[in-house]
Amino acid sequence: MSKLLEKSLKDARKEDQLTFGTKQVLNSLKNSKLIVLSQSVSKEMVEKIESDAKKEKVPLVNFQGTSVALGRLCGLQFRISTISFTSITDANIKSILKDTEAEEKND
């Protein structure tokens, strides 16, 4: 798990710059800077989010864990299958994408 993603999630949560939940993320794609998907999201929903995100040019990160793990990472006591950042620096986005790509190659 990318330490930068973990830190970015915690910082964004403190500043209320996250959107939680698949439906909410789909509705707020225009305001999204980065989307994080857990492995708990259904194939059909992943495809829908991926196609919509591509249209809006929003990068996606596949979180290598369940919705429970993603919820815990955000310091919440419930499952979160999808998160979008409404505010994050471009430098952080690039670093997170690079970290997660490296992790996927190592798996």
Side-chain angles (χ1 to χ4, degrees), residues 21-44:
T22 310
K23 288 178 188 160
Q24 290 84 342
V25 167
L26 277 171
N27 291 335
S28 68
L29 260 175
K30 285 187 180 7
N31 302 325
S32 298
K33 303 277 186 246
L34 177 70
I35 296 173
V36 181
L37 297 170
S38 75
Q39 292 178 328
S40 304
V41 180
S42 70
K43 276 230 182 318
E44 298 82 33

mmCIF file of all heavy atoms in Angstrom, residues 21-44:
data_model
loop_
_atom_site.group_PDB
_atom_site.id
_atom_site.type_symbol
_atom_site.label_atom_id
_atom_site.label_comp_id
_atom_site.label_asym_id
_atom_site.label_seq_id
_atom_site.Cartn_x
_atom_site.Cartn_y
_atom_site.Cartn_z
ATOM 1 N N GLY A 21 -18.219 6.502 -1.620
ATOM 2 C CA GLY A 21 -19.326 5.727 -2.167
ATOM 3 C C GLY A 21 -19.391 5.772 -3.681
ATOM 4 O O GLY A 21 -19.127 6.802 -4.291
ATOM 5 N N THR A 22 -19.732 4.645 -4.260
ATOM 6 C CA THR A 22 -19.742 4.503 -5.711
ATOM 7 C C THR A 22 -20.696 5.487 -6.387
ATOM 8 O O THR A 22 -20.316 6.170 -7.333
ATOM 9 C CB THR A 22 -20.122 3.057 -6.077
ATOM 10 O OG1 THR A 22 -19.294 2.166 -5.319
ATOM 11 C CG2 THR A 22 -19.908 2.777 -7.539
ATOM 12 N N LYS A 23 -21.940 5.571 -5.903
ATOM 13 C CA LYS A 23 -22.927 6.471 -6.529
ATOM 14 C C LYS A 23 -22.517 7.925 -6.394
ATOM 15 O O LYS A 23 -22.627 8.695 -7.349
ATOM 16 C CB LYS A 23 -24.307 6.259 -5.902
ATOM 17 C CG LYS A 23 -24.950 4.956 -6.293
ATOM 18 C CD LYS A 23 -26.276 4.776 -5.612
ATOM 19 C CE LYS A 23 -26.806 3.378 -5.855
ATOM 20 N NZ LYS A 23 -27.805 3.000 -4.868
ATOM 21 N N GLN A 24 -22.033 8.300 -5.210
ATOM 22 C CA GLN A 24 -21.621 9.691 -4.989
ATOM 23 C C GLN A 24 -20.431 10.055 -5.877
ATOM 24 O O GLN A 24 -20.380 11.152 -6.431
ATOM 25 C CB GLN A 24 -21.259 9.919 -3.513
ATOM 26 C CG GLN A 24 -22.450 9.893 -2.583
ATOM 27 C CD GLN A 24 -22.848 8.477 -2.152
ATOM 28 O OE1 GLN A 24 -22.477 7.487 -2.755
ATOM 29 N NE2 GLN A 24 -23.630 8.397 -1.093
ATOM 30 N N VAL A 25 -19.495 9.116 -6.011
ATOM 31 C CA VAL A 25 -18.321 9.363 -6.858
ATOM 32 C C VAL A 25 -18.767 9.535 -8.310
ATOM 33 O O VAL A 25 -18.319 10.456 -9.001
ATOM 34 C CB VAL A 25 -17.277 8.235 -6.713
ATOM 35 C CG1 VAL A 25 -16.213 8.320 -7.804
ATOM 36 C CG2 VAL A 25 -16.624 8.294 -5.333
ATOM 37 N N LEU A 26 -19.662 8.679 -8.777
ATOM 38 C CA LEU A 26 -20.164 8.801 -10.154
ATOM 39 C C LEU A 26 -20.853 10.146 -10.374
ATOM 40 O O LEU A 26 -20.690 10.769 -11.423
ATOM 41 C CB LEU A 26 -21.141 7.667 -10.480
ATOM 42 C CG LEU A 26 -20.508 6.354 -10.922
ATOM 43 C CD1 LEU A 26 -21.555 5.255 -10.994
ATOM 44 C CD2 LEU A 26 -19.804 6.497 -12.255
ATOM 45 N N ASN A 27 -21.604 10.599 -9.373
ATOM 46 C CA ASN A 27 -22.309 11.879 -9.488
ATOM 47 C C ASN A 27 -21.375 13.078 -9.425
ATOM 48 O O ASN A 27 -21.718 14.148 -9.918
ATOM 49 C CB ASN A 27 -23.371 12.005 -8.398
ATOM 50 C CG ASN A 27 -24.527 11.047 -8.614
ATOM 51 O OD1 ASN A 27 -24.792 10.629 -9.738
ATOM 52 N ND2 ASN A 27 -25.197 10.681 -7.544
ATOM 53 N N SER A 28 -20.212 12.908 -8.814
ATOM 54 C CA SER A 28 -19.305 14.054 -8.639
ATOM 55 C C SER A 28 -18.036 13.922 -9.471
ATOM 56 O O SER A 28 -17.025 14.540 -9.152
ATOM 57 C CB SER A 28 -18.942 14.206 -7.162
ATOM 58 O OG SER A 28 -18.144 13.116 -6.753
ATOM 59 N N LEU A 29 -18.081 13.138 -10.540
ATOM 60 C CA LEU A 29 -16.883 12.925 -11.365
ATOM 61 C C LEU A 29 -16.277 14.217 -11.894
ATOM 62 O O LEU A 29 -15.059 14.336 -11.978
ATOM 63 C CB LEU A 29 -17.212 12.004 -12.543
ATOM 64 C CG LEU A 29 -16.802 10.552 -12.377
ATOM 65 C CD1 LEU A 29 -17.294 9.730 -13.542
ATOM 66 C CD2 LEU A 29 -15.335 10.390 -12.190
ATOM 67 N N LYS A 30 -17.116 15.179 -12.256
ATOM 68 C CA LYS A 30 -16.614 16.442 -12.798
ATOM 69 C C LYS A 30 -15.715 17.175 -11.799
ATOM 70 O O LYS A 30 -14.804 17.894 -12.193
ATOM 71 C CB LYS A 30 -17.768 17.351 -13.211
ATOM 72 C CG LYS A 30 -18.429 16.923 -14.498
ATOM 73 C CD LYS A 30 -19.444 17.942 -14.936
ATOM 74 C CE LYS A 30 -20.168 17.639 -16.213
ATOM 75 N NZ LYS A 30 -19.987 16.393 -16.864
ATOM 76 N N ASN A 31 -15.978 16.992 -10.497
ATOM 77 C CA ASN A 31 -15.180 17.659 -9.460
ATOM 78 C C ASN A 31 -14.038 16.792 -8.940
ATOM 79 O O ASN A 31 -13.322 17.207 -8.049
ATOM 80 C CB ASN A 31 -16.072 18.040 -8.274
ATOM 81 C CG ASN A 31 -17.211 18.930 -8.695
ATOM 82 O OD1 ASN A 31 -17.056 19.757 -9.583
ATOM 83 N ND2 ASN A 31 -18.366 18.755 -8.077
ATOM 84 N N SER A 32 -13.895 15.592 -9.477
ATOM 85 C CA SER A 32 -12.889 14.660 -8.967
ATOM 86 C C SER A 32 -11.523 14.894 -9.596
ATOM 87 O O SER A 32 -11.426 15.228 -10.767
ATOM 88 C CB SER A 32 -13.320 13.217 -9.240
ATOM 89 O OG SER A 32 -14.518 12.930 -8.572
ATOM 90 N N LYS A 33 -10.496 14.677 -8.781
ATOM 91 C CA LYS A 33 -9.111 14.788 -9.254
ATOM 92 C C LYS A 33 -8.465 13.409 -9.359
ATOM 93 O O LYS A 33 -7.590 13.187 -10.182
ATOM 94 C CB LYS A 33 -8.280 15.639 -8.283
ATOM 95 C CG LYS A 33 -8.827 17.020 -8.047
ATOM 96 C CD LYS A 33 -8.395 17.956 -9.141
ATOM 97 C CE LYS A 33 -8.800 19.381 -8.842
ATOM 98 N NZ LYS A 33 -9.772 19.897 -9.752
ATOM 99 N N LEU A 34 -8.903 12.487 -8.491
ATOM 100 C CA LEU A 34 -8.356 11.131 -8.451
ATOM 101 C C LEU A 34 -9.397 10.208 -7.823
ATOM 102 O O LEU A 34 -10.044 10.588 -6.852
ATOM 103 C CB LEU A 34 -7.072 11.102 -7.600
ATOM 104 C CG LEU A 34 -6.402 9.747 -7.384
ATOM 105 C CD1 LEU A 34 -5.782 9.247 -8.691
ATOM 106 C CD2 LEU A 34 -5.326 9.842 -6.315
ATOM 107 N N ILE A 35 -9.545 9.003 -8.387
ATOM 108 C CA ILE A 35 -10.514 8.038 -7.863
ATOM 109 C C ILE A 35 -9.768 6.798 -7.382
ATOM 110 O O ILE A 35 -8.860 6.317 -8.052
ATOM 111 C CB ILE A 35 -11.549 7.647 -8.938
ATOM 112 C CG1 ILE A 35 -12.369 8.880 -9.338
ATOM 113 C CG2 ILE A 35 -12.461 6.538 -8.436
ATOM 114 C CD1 ILE A 35 -13.299 8.658 -10.495
ATOM 115 N N VAL A 36 -10.172 6.310 -6.216
ATOM 116 C CA VAL A 36 -9.592 5.095 -5.643
ATOM 117 C C VAL A 36 -10.695 4.040 -5.563
ATOM 118 O O VAL A 36 -11.741 4.288 -4.966
ATOM 119 C CB VAL A 36 -9.025 5.362 -4.223
ATOM 120 C CG1 VAL A 36 -8.401 4.099 -3.652
ATOM 121 C CG2 VAL A 36 -8.015 6.502 -4.249
ATOM 122 N N LEU A 37 -10.451 2.881 -6.185
ATOM 123 C CA LEU A 37 -11.423 1.781 -6.193
ATOM 124 C C LEU A 37 -10.883 0.612 -5.386
ATOM 125 O O LEU A 37 -9.742 0.200 -5.596
ATOM 126 C CB LEU A 37 -11.654 1.283 -7.628
ATOM 127 C CG LEU A 37 -12.257 2.249 -8.628
ATOM 128 C CD1 LEU A 37 -12.171 1.666 -10.023
ATOM 129 C CD2 LEU A 37 -13.687 2.531 -8.283
ATOM 130 N N SER A 38 -11.700 0.057 -4.491
ATOM 131 C CA SER A 38 -11.278 -1.144 -3.766
ATOM 132 C C SER A 38 -11.600 -2.365 -4.615
ATOM 133 O O SER A 38 -12.298 -2.279 -5.621
ATOM 134 C CB SER A 38 -11.991 -1.237 -2.415
ATOM 135 O OG SER A 38 -13.325 -1.643 -2.600
ATOM 136 N N GLN A 39 -11.129 -3.517 -4.173
ATOM 137 C CA GLN A 39 -11.398 -4.752 -4.912
ATOM 138 C C GLN A 39 -12.825 -5.245 -4.698
ATOM 139 O O GLN A 39 -13.248 -6.194 -5.333
ATOM 140 C CB GLN A 39 -10.398 -5.839 -4.489
ATOM 141 C CG GLN A 39 -8.992 -5.509 -4.935
ATOM 142 C CD GLN A 39 -7.980 -6.538 -4.477
ATOM 143 O OE1 GLN A 39 -8.130 -7.140 -3.421
ATOM 144 N NE2 GLN A 39 -6.943 -6.726 -5.262
ATOM 145 N N SER A 40 -13.567 -4.573 -3.819
ATOM 146 C CA SER A 40 -14.945 -4.988 -3.526
ATOM 147 C C SER A 40 -15.958 -4.468 -4.547
ATOM 148 O O SER A 40 -17.117 -4.859 -4.512
ATOM 149 C CB SER A 40 -15.347 -4.502 -2.133
ATOM 150 O OG SER A 40 -14.444 -4.978 -1.173
ATOM 151 N N VAL A 41 -15.529 -3.586 -5.429
ATOM 152 C CA VAL A 41 -16.446 -3.009 -6.412
ATOM 153 C C VAL A 41 -16.735 -4.057 -7.493
ATOM 154 O O VAL A 41 -15.826 -4.717 -7.983
ATOM 155 C CB VAL A 41 -15.842 -1.738 -7.055
ATOM 156 C CG1 VAL A 41 -16.787 -1.130 -8.063
ATOM 157 C CG2 VAL A 41 -15.470 -0.722 -5.993
ATOM 158 N N SER A 42 -18.016 -4.184 -7.876
ATOM 159 C CA SER A 42 -18.394 -5.172 -8.896
ATOM 160 C C SER A 42 -17.790 -4.813 -10.251
ATOM 161 O O SER A 42 -17.518 -3.651 -10.535
ATOM 162 C CB SER A 42 -19.919 -5.240 -9.021
ATOM 163 O OG SER A 42 -20.403 -4.050 -9.617
ATOM 164 N N LYS A 43 -17.591 -5.854 -11.085
ATOM 165 C CA LYS A 43 -16.986 -5.661 -12.415
ATOM 166 C C LYS A 43 -17.747 -4.625 -13.241
ATOM 167 O O LYS A 43 -17.153 -3.765 -13.864
ATOM 168 C CB LYS A 43 -16.964 -6.985 -13.176
ATOM 169 C CG LYS A 43 -15.787 -7.865 -12.862
ATOM 170 C CD LYS A 43 -15.155 -8.299 -14.172
ATOM 171 C CE LYS A 43 -13.983 -9.223 -14.052
ATOM 172 N NZ LYS A 43 -13.026 -8.935 -13.032
ATOM 173 N N GLU A 44 -19.084 -4.731 -13.223
ATOM 174 C CA GLU A 44 -19.907 -3.809 -14.023
ATOM 175 C C GLU A 44 -19.705 -2.367 -13.558
ATOM 176 O O GLU A 44 -19.589 -1.453 -14.373
ATOM 177 C CB GLU A 44 -21.401 -4.157 -13.909
ATOM 178 C CG GLU A 44 -21.789 -5.522 -14.408
ATOM 179 C CD GLU A 44 -21.545 -6.639 -13.397
ATOM 180 O OE1 GLU A 44 -21.680 -6.397 -12.166
ATOM 181 O OE2 GLU A 44 -21.203 -7.760 -13.825
#
